[in-house]
């Protein structure tokens, strides 16, 4: 359990004196970020996002297409060049702006476009976990009037 003391309406937390409830939440949030981040999973999420960015030049495309292609897309199309009997919804940087999925029937195209989305989902999960844990921890140690929710 955290060592927190209340003194004259302020808190003492890990050597930091006379901090408000908001400042206490800030320091707890930093602790939770430190505990959550830095693992292999976090690097994986960032790597997936970066691998899915259209940084490689490619042939001329239609005006409505995203300019360039990603490393993920190049390799997924190369190794998973399988035509499916049905179409799957995918998103590109351009189609995300309109929230209109692009349909593809190539497994490699689907996987290549899904890779950065998986990275963003993993990162969003980290953020949600950090906020939940920080809020729960904060609410356990502050007086009733300072609790969130």
């Amino acid at each position: 359990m955290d060592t927190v003391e209340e003194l004259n309406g302020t808190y003492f937390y890990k050597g930091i004196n006379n901090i408000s409830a908001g400042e206490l939440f800030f320091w707890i949030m930093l602790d939770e970020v430190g505990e959550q981040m830095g693992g292999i999973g976090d690097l994986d999420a960032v790597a997936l996002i970066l691998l899915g960015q259209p940084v490689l030049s490619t042939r001329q495309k239609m005006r409505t297409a995203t300019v360039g292609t990603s490393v993920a897309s190049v390799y997924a199309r190369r190794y998973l060049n399988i035509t499916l009997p049905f179409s799957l919804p995918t998103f590109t940087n351009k189609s995300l702006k309109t929230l209109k999925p692009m349909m593809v029937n190539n497994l490699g195209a689907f996987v290549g476009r899904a890779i950065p989305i998986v990275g963003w989902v993993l990162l969003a999960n980290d953020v949600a976990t950090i906020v939940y844990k920080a809020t729960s921890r904060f609410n356990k140690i502050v007086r009733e009037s300072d609790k969130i929710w």
Side-chain angles (χ1 to χ4, degrees):
M1 190 69 175
D2 296 309
T3 304
V4 176
E5 297 176 20
E6 184 184 350
L7 183 64
N8 296 326
T10 63
Y11 295 96
F12 171 85
Y13 181 73
K14 293 188 175 181
I16 306 165
N17 297 317
N18 298 322
I19 56 175
S20 67
E23 291 167 324
L24 176 63
F25 184 76
F26 172 78
W27 289 111
I28 291 172
M29 181 73 84
L30 285 182
D31 284 347
E32 288 299 332
V33 167
E35 287 179 28
Q36 183 74 22
M37 296 299 193
I40 298 301
D42 302 313
L43 293 176
D44 291 346
V46 172
L48 291 174
I49 292 167
L50 292 176
L51 285 172
Q53 297 310 301
V55 295
L56 302 176
S57 58
T58 186
R59 62 175 170 70
Q60 187 69 28
K61 295 180 180 181
M62 294 187 326
R63 191 174 43 141
T64 58
T66 300
V67 176
T69 191
S70 68
V71 173
S73 187
V74 167
Y75 282 97
R77 288 173 193 259
R78 182 179 301 160
Y79 295 109
L80 296 172
N81 190 15
I82 300 167
T83 302
L84 302 170
F86 50 88
S87 293
L88 296 168
T90 65
F91 285 97
T92 63
N93 287 352
K94 207 126 196 189
S95 68
L96 266 176
K97 292 176 185 172
T98 61
L99 291 178
K100 183 179 177 190
M102 310 274 295
M103 302 302 285
V104 296
N105 65 349
N106 182 287
L107 182 60
F110 175 75
V111 170
R113 291 178 181 176
I115 284 176
I117 293 169
V118 171
W120 284 112
V121 168
L122 292 173
L123 211 53
N125 179 60
D126 280 346
V127 170
T129 301
I130 289 165
V131 171
Y132 174 77
K133 286 182 175 181
T135 303
S136 296
R137 192 165 147 196
F138 176 80
N139 283 341
K140 287 179 185 173
I141 59 179
V142 296
R143 61 184 169 265
E144 193 68 32
S145 63
D146 288 333
K147 288 186 178 184
I148 299 171
W149 298 315

